[in-house]
Amino acid sequence: MEFWLLSLPLDKTSLASLEKLKRTIAKTNLATCGKLSIPELKVGTLDNLLSVSDNLSQLDTLTESVIKKTCHFMGEVMEQASDKVLEKGLVNGDHSGVRPSPSKAYFQALRVDLVKYVTKFQWDRAKYPTSLPLRVLADNINKQVSQVDAEFKSRASTYNSIKSSLHCLQRKAEGNLHTRGLNDIVTREDVMESEYLTTLLVVVSRGDYKQWDSTYESFSLFVVPRSSRMLYEDTQCGVFSVILFRRAVSDFRERAKQSKFTVRQCNMEVEEKHLQEIQRLNVDNKEQHVVFVRWLKVNFREVFVAWIHLKALRVFVESVLRYGLPVSYQALLLQPDRKRVKRLRQELSTLFMHLEPSAMSNKVDASFDVPEMIQQEYFSYICFQINTNMLDTGK
């Protein structure tokens, strides 16, 4: 979903063109159109405005990137959860309880909430006092967004580290019997250890059980007779325990290898620590998930609100720079029909070509290079876009 923030001067020609635009939109349904309320802000000097304009352009890019990152990660994290809950606190601060719902439903609700916030936008004078200079307002937004970006990177790194460690341990626990951990298979009662005796675990293919039973005692003179016992089997192999003298472990291991049996020496303390680590990481992962999802939702809201104020700030600054003083412009919010965007652009270009005829050297609005080699569209009227397609991550 996309919105266009337009700014038009209040001269007679532009006002007449605006009325014509409203009639055209009403007849053709090219878009929905409404006013955008932007308060009068401190103008300052021309040099200051030019500097602020450049800073706002870069800040706009940063803020949008933070919004996309947090939204994308929020979608991933919510999809990974076994219990996906449509939580409280959408952009408008609605804290009424809602029923649990998958992440797709959350993003659908969030999309509705964002549209409502944009279309009913009111400048937050408590958070962004209009008495402050434009540069200070821009710096405040920059600090807010940069802080969220830095904290996001830190929290995402911690979350991914825990998840990666847990996944690694789980993979070891879920491999085949030749390599996987044995903590969920072998108990202390299965292992006999003493000063002279020890227990080895041997992985035997299902087709070689008879061979194992008839040969394992011959691998060493120091094997305890009839000590082999099956502890576990899956569709391919079985795990057998065997008791022998410690002095014979090396010889037994070599003879078993020659017979294509895999010896697994089991250290119960290590296996128990391994199991405890998995349990600890499971708890940490669940706790981090709850905290991180909550943080993402709250801070996505905060940065989105800052972004819309930033867009309004850009409209004000560019209106003064292009249309001059005293401040006199009309800010509009258009929501184009996505299938008729080209037609709407053509209509706007025709209606407002008087604002800057040089911009109409091509039939459709031109493009130009801006600092940092970012290619942006340039129009005879002021236009900034708000794109909420990042919410498609919830689909």
Side-chain angles (χ1 to χ4, degrees), residues 80-338:
Q80 292 161 4
S82 58
D83 183 19
K84 303 167 187 175
V85 178
L86 177 55
E87 294 184 356
K88 304 175 184 178
L90 301 179
V91 171
N92 289 318
D94 179 11
H95 297 290
S96 59
V98 289
R99 292 183 301 172
S101 180
S103 61
K104 182 177 180 180
Y106 172 80
F107 281 99
Q108 288 173 343
L110 182 58
R111 181 188 297 277
V112 172
D113 193 65
L114 294 181
V115 170
K116 181 180 178 182
Y117 179 79
V118 173
T119 55
K120 297 182 180 297
F121 173 75
Q122 293 292 324
W123 186 275
D124 189 338
R125 294 175 184 269
K127 186 176 290 186
Y128 307 105
T130 56
S131 59
L132 294 177
L134 295 173
R135 183 176 296 279
V136 175
L137 288 174
D139 287 344
N140 288 347
I141 294 176
N142 187 26
K143 289 176 184 176
Q144 179 187 1
V145 174
S146 298
Q147 182 177 348
V148 170
D149 190 28
E151 190 173 351
F152 167 77
K153 291 175 181 176
S154 176
R155 286 178 177 269
S157 176
T158 300
Y159 180 82
N160 284 331
S161 178
I162 293 174
K163 192 176 74 170
S164 178
S165 297
L166 179 60
H167 181 65
C168 183
L169 290 176
Q170 287 174 334
R171 283 187 62 184
K172 289 181 180 179
E174 295 169 359
N176 61 51
L177 291 174
H178 293 85
T179 59
R180 62 166 291 179
L182 302 175
N183 51 282
D184 60 338
I185 294 175
V186 182
T187 66
R188 284 191 176 274
E189 289 71 25
D190 296 323
V191 179
M192 203 272 302
E193 299 289 336
S194 70
E195 183 178 356
Y196 299 106
L197 296 175
T198 187
T199 300
L200 293 183
L201 304 177
V202 183
V203 179
V204 180
S205 298
R206 290 176 69 102
D208 296 331
Y209 286 176
K210 289 184 178 180
Q211 180 187 349
W212 164 256
D213 287 335
S214 63
T215 61
Y216 78 90
E217 292 182 11
S218 66
F219 291 170
S220 172
L221 294 174
F222 299 97
V223 174
V224 176
R226 300 181 183 180
S227 63
S228 176
R229 186 163 61 93
M230 178 186 284
L231 304 181
Y232 178 84
E233 70 174 339
D234 60 17
T235 57
Q236 296 179 329
C237 301
V239 177
F240 291 80
S241 64
V242 60
I243 301 172
L244 66 160
F245 282 80
R246 292 183 181 276
R247 59 186 292 187
V249 168
S250 295
D251 289 341
F252 184 93
R253 188 186 295 273
E254 182 61 30
R255 290 289 302 277
K257 183 178 180 181
Q258 292 174 5
S259 298
K260 298 183 179 180
F261 300 136
T262 301
V263 176
R264 303 282 309 273
Q265 192 163 5
C266 182
N267 186 321
M268 289 307 299
E269 290 186 359
V270 173
E271 293 294 340
E272 287 175 357
K273 287 181 179 179
H274 182 84
L275 180 59
Q276 290 171 1
E277 182 66 7
I278 290 180
Q279 292 171 342
R280 183 188 68 80
L281 287 172
N282 259 317
V283 172
D284 288 350
N285 187 55
K286 290 177 182 178
E287 290 177 349
Q288 282 290 326
H289 174 267
V290 172
V291 172
F292 196 24
V293 168
R294 186 182 300 120
W295 184 90
L296 285 167
K297 290 181 177 182
V298 170
N299 284 275
F300 174 83
R301 171 194 181 279
E302 292 297 323
V303 177
F304 186 86
V305 168
W307 190 40
I308 303 305
H309 281 79
L310 175 61
K311 292 289 189 181
L313 200 57
R314 293 193 72 185
V315 169
F316 178 85
V317 171
E318 296 306 317
S319 297
V320 175
L321 286 174
R322 193 181 296 193
Y323 304 144
L325 293 172
V327 177
S328 179
Y329 69 95
Q330 170 84 52
L332 298 174
L333 180 69
L334 297 185
Q335 185 177 347
D337 181 334
R338 69 176 66 185

